[in-house]
Structures are given as structure tokens and as C-alpha cells.
């Protein structure tokens, strides 16, 4: 059923899909398939275990790390930012919850006019934090929702300050390792085996090599590289209580209809009024979608090495089909 739905949709779409798709239900893989090319110059096809940059899907994983520290009693959600980054005196009463929910009012680095040029430069975490501190506040508390990569960079720095290890080491020790994710990593300047090359669509509809970004600028807001099977393992570990307790998990995915973004996840209702949590990601040459039907234990992962809206629309098509089939 899924094979026919996915292929029928892609055949009707004028844009070719390059990437990987995996669908799971209560921890079991229902469907997985790779499409298109990982490298167009060498005509190397994508495989189901091809690595892709997942962009802002990283935020869901960073938020998971913060909640793990809360469960361990090392931090609290109402702690203030300045308790962990004392030099950030401009933060005032901003709490970890404000950062997690994009309600801090802190300026967003990726929305600055010179971000593209600035992103060519390699930066340490402290240099990233200093850059964020130099930006004017967008608004004072109480701030309304305003999507901010800056807030999630600061959360990564908080993880480092609390644990005494790097964000990359924390991911491996506390999330990737326990979940069995062997192909996921915070991208650095190292060569990554099996990572797809990234592409962007020109105004004329032709694919071209992705514009450059030094991935140190993405960090804990968008810097993770992963695979569809690894994200499936993450989802299974999360749902199975291996990464968070049941109480924290319930809090993570609860939604009262008032805050559509909480703790690293968007929340919505599907067309059939089922509760859904999701996050999309996009970074130079790559797009990603991770969707969960919360009352069915169903998850959809769509990763692509092309900057395109087709990734999220395909994920939506799959979810719409699944919500009527699963019980």
C-alpha cells in the first residue's frame, strides 16, 4: 500500500525526489526505500543508510538532551539562562523553557542580513555565543513565539557547561549510543563516509551544488548528520522509554492547543483530527522531516539531499494515508 501511494505521488510530481523514506509502526519498519542520487557527478545512488544533514530536526534531539538533564536533576526548566552562561547579562529573566519554545526574544543569527557570508567562517561554540550576544533583542519578555536558531545554539552550550563534555560527546554518550544509532554524528570538518552530496534547485529548475556553510555555525540548532534507519532507532528508543521516563515523555508530547511548539516539537492535528508531533529541517542542500502520529505509534522519516519542499509534502502525503489505515 505504502509503495503504491509513494510512487504514485512521486510519479505525478514534476520534481524528482532524491533521498530516503522510512515508515515505522510501534517499533517495526513498515516501509523503507531510497530514491535518486547521492552524488550526481559520479552517478552514485542513494541507499537507505545514506547519511544526510537533517537541519533543524536537530532541535528535537537537543531538546531531548535538555530533558534528560532535567530528569537527572542537573537542571530545571525554569532555570534562567544567565545561571549557565553568566556573561549573557542581556538575557534577564529568560529561562530554559523560553529557549526550548522559541519565546525568548533573542535575535536569530540565521535571519541576520550578513548570515550567508558569516556562515563561511568556522566558529567555536564560544564564538557562536558571542555572536548571538551581540545581536539586539527582538522583543522583551513575555515574548511571543519567534523561531530562533540562536536559542538552540545556547541550549547546546548549556549542555556543555552542565556536563563538562562537548555537545558531540553528550550526543554519543546519552542519545546515539543508548539508541543504537551508529551512523549519526554532529558534523565537523571531518570527512563523513556515505554522506550524500547536497544540491539546490536553481530558479530555472536545474539542480546545482549546494551553497557552502561551515557546519560549526549550525551546531546544536541544525548540525546533526543521520540516516533514516538511525532516526527510526531514535524514535523506537524514545517511545520505548530508553531515553526518557514515561512522565517526561507524556509532558514532551502533551499539547493543550495553546502552544503549537513545545520542547523541540511542533504539534498539530491531522485531517482526521489525530494528534501529531513533527519537525522539519532544511540546511544548504538538504531537507528532512520527522513526523509522529502520537495515538498510533506511527512515525515517518523523509530525508533528502536536495533543498526542496517535496520532502515535507511527501511526508504529509504518507501521514494522511497512514492515519486512516492504522489503529
Amino acid at each position: 500500500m505504502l509503495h503504491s501511494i509513494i510512487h504514485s505521488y512521486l510519479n505525478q510530481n514534476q520534481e524528482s525526489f532524491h533521498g530516503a523514506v522510512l515508515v515505522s509502526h510501534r517499533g517495526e519498519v513498515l516501509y523503507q526505500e531510497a530514491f535518486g542520487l547521492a552524488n550526481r557527478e559520479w552517478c552514485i545512488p542513494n541507499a537507505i543508510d545514506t547519511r544526510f544533514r537533517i537541519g533543524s530536526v536537530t532541535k528535537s534531539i537537543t531538546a531531548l538532551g535538555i530533558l534528560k538533564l532535567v530528569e537527572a536533576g542537573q537542571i530545571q526548566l525554569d532555570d534562567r539562562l544567565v545561571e549557565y552562561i553568566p556573561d549573557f547579562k542581556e538575557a534577564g529573566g529568560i529561562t530554559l523553557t523560553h529557549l526550548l519554545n522559541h519565546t525568548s526574544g533573542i535575535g536569530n543569527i540565521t535571519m541576520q542580513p550578513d548570515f550567508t557570508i558569516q556562515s563561511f567562517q568556522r566558529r567555536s561554540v564560544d564564538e557562536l555565543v558571542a555572536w548571538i550576544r551581540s545581536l539586539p533583542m527582538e522583543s522583551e519578555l513575555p515574548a511571543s513565539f519567534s523561531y530562533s536558531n540562536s536559542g538552540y545554539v545556547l541550549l547546546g552550550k548549556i549542555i556543555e557547561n552542565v556536563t563538562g563534555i562537548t555537545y558531540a560527546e553528550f550526543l554519543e554518550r546519552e542519545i546515539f549510543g543508548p539508541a543504537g544509532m551508529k551512523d549519526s554524528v554532529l558534523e565537523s570538518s571531518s570527512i563523513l563516509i556515505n554522506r550524500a552530496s547536497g544540491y539546490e534547485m536553481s530558479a530555472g529548475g536545474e539542480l546545482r551544488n549546494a551553497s557552502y556553510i561551515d557546519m560549526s555555525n549550525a551546531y546544536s540548532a541544525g548540525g546533526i548528520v543521520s540516516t533514516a534507519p538511525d532516526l527510526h532507532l531514535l524514535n523506537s528508543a524514545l517511545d520505548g522509554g530508553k531515553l526518557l521516563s514515561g512522565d517526561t515523555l507524556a509532558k514532551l508530547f502533551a499539547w493543550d492547543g495553546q502552544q503549537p511548539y513545545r520542547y523541540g516539537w511542533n504539534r498539530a492535528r491531522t485531517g482526521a483530527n489525530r494528534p501529531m508531533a513533527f519537525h522539519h529541517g532544511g540546511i544548504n542542500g538538504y531537507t528532512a522531516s520527522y513526523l509522529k502520529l502520537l495515538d498510533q505509534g506511527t512515525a515517518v522519516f523523509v530525508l533528502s539531499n536536495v533543498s526542496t519542499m517535496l520532502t515535507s509534502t511527501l511526508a504529509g502525503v504518507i501521514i494522511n494515508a497512514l492515519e486512516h489505515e492504522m489503529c
Side-chain angles (χ1 to χ4, degrees):
M1 184 270 290
L2 284 173
H3 181 277
S4 62
I5 289 173
I6 292 169
H7 282 260
S8 175
Y9 177 78
L10 292 178
N11 287 337
Q12 295 171 19
N13 197 290
Q14 293 183 346
E15 180 186 341
S16 298
F17 178 69
H18 300 266
V21 179
L22 189 148
V23 181
S24 67
H25 179 61
R26 303 197 189 284
E28 294 193 11
V29 175
L30 299 180
Y31 171 92
Q32 57 180 346
E33 189 170 0
F35 300 83
L37 298 174
N39 184 283
R40 298 183 67 82
E41 288 89 342
W42 290 92
C43 294
I44 298 171
N46 276 314
I48 193 60
D49 59 351
T50 296
R51 286 168 152 176
F52 301 87
R53 291 175 178 169
I54 63 172
S56 286
V57 176
T58 298
K59 291 180 175 67
S60 300
I61 299 174
T62 298
L64 170 60
I66 290 292
L67 291 176
K68 285 182 69 66
L69 295 180
V70 171
E71 277 204 338
Q74 294 179 267
I75 61 175
Q76 297 182 45
L77 290 176
D78 59 359
D79 288 345
R80 293 186 304 150
L81 169 59
V82 291
E83 296 178 46
Y84 302 102
I85 308 180
D87 290 342
F88 211 128
K89 303 188 189 311
E90 303 87 343
I94 293 171
T95 67
L96 304 192
T97 296
H98 290 130
L99 298 176
L100 287 164
N101 296 349
H102 299 296
T103 56
S104 70
I106 292 173
N108 187 1
I109 54 174
T110 57
M111 294 302 293
Q112 304 310 304
D114 62 345
F115 176 76
T116 298
I117 294 175
Q118 292 289 343
S119 69
F120 296 163
Q121 176 182 335
R122 184 153 191 83
R123 284 181 171 81
S124 67
V125 178
D126 287 338
E127 288 171 337
L128 270 179
V129 172
W131 183 11
I132 294 169
R133 282 186 56 210
S134 72
L135 301 178
M137 295 289 292
E138 290 183 355
S139 61
E140 300 297 327
L141 294 176
S144 58
F145 176 86
S146 181
Y147 191 86
S148 175
N149 288 288
S150 297
Y152 272 78
V153 168
L154 296 173
L155 288 169
K157 176 60 175 176
I158 288 169
I159 288 173
E160 294 195 354
N161 285 353
V162 170
T163 62
I165 58 177
T166 67
Y167 173 71
E169 291 169 333
F170 175 84
L171 290 175
E172 179 58 36
R173 188 179 77 182
E174 299 294 335
I175 298 176
F176 297 160
M181 301 164 68
K182 299 185 183 300
D183 292 317
S184 299
V185 66
L186 181 70
E187 187 168 353
S188 63
S189 57
S190 301
I191 293 173
L192 288 178
I193 303 301
N194 294 333
R195 184 190 61 190
S197 300
Y199 299 96
E200 297 170 346
M201 198 72 68
S202 71
E206 294 182 346
L207 286 178
R208 61 188 180 191
N209 289 315
S211 53
Y212 179 74
I213 179 174
D214 190 295
M215 289 297 288
S216 64
N217 293 283
Y219 183 50
S220 51
I224 290 176
V225 171
S226 189
T227 67
D230 261 16
L231 291 179
H232 161 62
L233 290 173
L234 173 68
N235 187 72
S236 297
L238 187 60
D239 288 353
K242 293 182 180 179
L243 300 176
L244 292 174
S245 70
D247 289 344
T248 304
L249 201 59
K251 182 177 183 178
L252 173 60
F253 291 118
W255 181 41
D256 59 6
Q258 302 300 312
Q259 289 181 286
Y261 191 105
R262 294 173 69 247
Y263 308 129
W265 288 90
N266 294 281
R267 287 158 183 74
R269 290 274 175 178
T270 66
N273 202 34
R274 293 186 179 278
M276 177 174 68
F278 65 94
H279 215 299
H280 301 302
I283 192 166
N284 308 45
Y286 302 81
T287 43
S289 291
Y290 177 0
L291 289 70
K292 291 171 63 69
L293 286 175
L294 297 174
D295 64 341
Q296 295 184 179
T298 305
V300 175
F301 313 92
V302 183
L303 308 180
S304 177
N305 56 318
V306 179
S307 292
T308 171
M309 293 298 293
L310 183 55
T311 303
S312 57
T313 55
L314 176 58
V317 167
I318 296 171
I319 280 289
N320 288 336
L322 288 171
E323 65 177 338
H324 299 291
E325 297 293 329
M326 298 296 176
C327 58

